[in-house]
Amino acid sequence: MAVHKAGRRTARVATAVAAAALIGVTASACGPGDDDPKGGDRVSEKPAASSGEKSPDAGAPEAKAPAAASEQLADVPASVKGGVITVGDPKAKHTVKVYEDPRCPFCKKFEDGGAQALVKPVADGKVKVEYTIASFLDKNLGGSGSVNAANALRASVEAGKFPQFHAAVFANQAEEESDDAYTPAFLLKIADKVEGLRGGAFDKAVTNGTYKKWVGEAMESFSADGVQGTPTVFIDGKKADGDGLYDQASFAKELKAKGIS
């Protein structure tokens, strides 16, 4: 899979995209910069609103609803071990490992495309998905959106709503990779689109960066696994074909070849 090497500044990203268009090369992933990002050091830590104060999501833009298919995973368990979030029956025969950065546009493309082929097999208990949520794009592009989103995703596990919130986060990704859109306030607006997610504990975790340490642990897991870009997907230990990640039918075909349907 070709890797789009996002630079440290927005200008480098724009240059790379423009160059790809000129020479007819289609980038298919987001990649860390030259420095080895550890993550976890940019989580916004703003105090939660107390009685009489404005809501912590006041002034944030409205959010879009997640794909309806995510509701099929409403009763599927999610758990955390180290820097990895696992969705699905822990005893499922097959395992799909997914490496993503919330700000990566190619990860959204995967979630809108190939990842949809995983919904039914996960709901049916045939496969579990292990997510490693990276946050290198904050270091490459500036801002704290990826880390804020990773922190909120971790909080959604405790609330029992990770699959739906994960879908909602990508549904609300900024149009421009360089836009630092995932503020705590906007993430709470996104959470409004997931029934039953908002609550005192979740809101506080998102606003205060409760899972700052875990965000760093997830980034360390990403680096330790030697992954070079996002999205990267492994099916039962074998790296998936990068060209098929962005099309539901193509990825479904690859899953079926591995016995997953």
Side-chain angles (χ1 to χ4, degrees), residues 78-170:
S79 60
V80 179
K81 184 175 182 180
V84 177
I85 297 173
T86 300
V87 175
D89 185 346
K91 297 180 181 179
K93 180 180 178 181
H94 300 281
T95 301
V96 173
K97 293 182 67 67
V98 176
Y99 297 83
E100 296 177 320
D101 186 305
R103 290 175 71 179
C104 174
F106 299 103
C107 292
K108 175 176 171 52
K109 191 176 179 182
F110 167 65
E111 288 299 328
D112 291 343
Q116 296 302 305
L118 283 168
V119 174
K120 188 176 186 302
V122 172
D124 290 344
K126 296 178 180 179
V127 61
K128 60 183 179 291
V129 182
E130 296 178 351
Y131 291 96
T132 300
I133 307 298
S135 49
F136 59 82
L137 282 175
D138 286 349
K139 187 176 183 72
N140 291 355
L141 302 170
S144 55
S146 288
V147 195
N148 289 338
N151 172 72
L153 285 164
R154 174 64 180 82
S156 74
V157 178
E158 301 304 314
K161 301 288 183 177
F162 175 82
Q164 302 99 304
F165 185 60
H166 176 261
V169 166
F170 280 101

Side-chain angles (χ1 to χ4, degrees), residues 3-9 12-13 16 29-34 136-137 139-141 177:
V3 176
H4 165 52
K5 290 289 185 180
R8 298 177 186 174
R9 297 179 301 174
R12 292 189 183 182
V13 176
C30 299
D34 294 334
F136 59 82
L137 282 175
K139 187 176 183 72
N140 291 355
L141 302 170
E177 183 183 15

Side-chain angles (χ1 to χ4, degrees), residues 68-80:
S70 65
E71 281 301 319
Q72 296 179 44
L73 302 176
D75 297 325
V76 174
S79 60
V80 179

